[in-house]
Amino acid sequence: LLVAGTKLNAFSPLGVLSRGYSVISDKNNRIVKNSTNLVPGDPIRIRFHQGAASANITETTPHKNGKAS
C-alpha cells in the first residue's frame, strides 16, 4: 500500500511540481501546452510547487524540427 501511495504521489500534479516543474496558464486560465498558443505581450501565470508568479511573453521559439514547441 505504501508503494502504491508513493507512485500516486509521484504522478499527482503537486508531486510533479515538487520536482521542479511548473504549470503555465494563459489570461483565460487555460493551461499552455504549446508555444504557438502564445504571442509576445501575452500575460501568463506560472505555478510552482510553492507559490506563483505573473509574467509577459517577450518571444516564442520554434521547436528544432521547425514546429513550435
Side-chain angles (χ1 to χ4, degrees):
L1 197 57
L2 180 61
V3 172
T6 301
K7 286 183 179 181
L8 280 175
N9 188 48
F11 292 109
S12 75
L14 293 177
V16 172
L17 292 175
S18 72
R19 293 195 306 272
Y21 290 90
S22 58
V23 177
I24 310 297
S25 55
D26 66 13
K27 63 184 174 189
N28 297 313
N29 258 350
R30 293 182 300 220
I31 301 298
V32 178
K33 299 178 184 177
N34 192 312
S35 66
T36 61
N37 298 76
L38 298 169
V39 296
D42 279 352
I44 58 171
R45 187 82 174 148
I46 308 163
R47 178 161 181 203
F48 304 100
H49 179 244
Q50 294 183 348
S54 296
N56 289 310
I57 298 300
T58 58
E59 69 177 312
T60 60
T61 306
H63 193 268
K64 290 178 185 176
N65 66 7
K67 296 180 183 175
S69 57

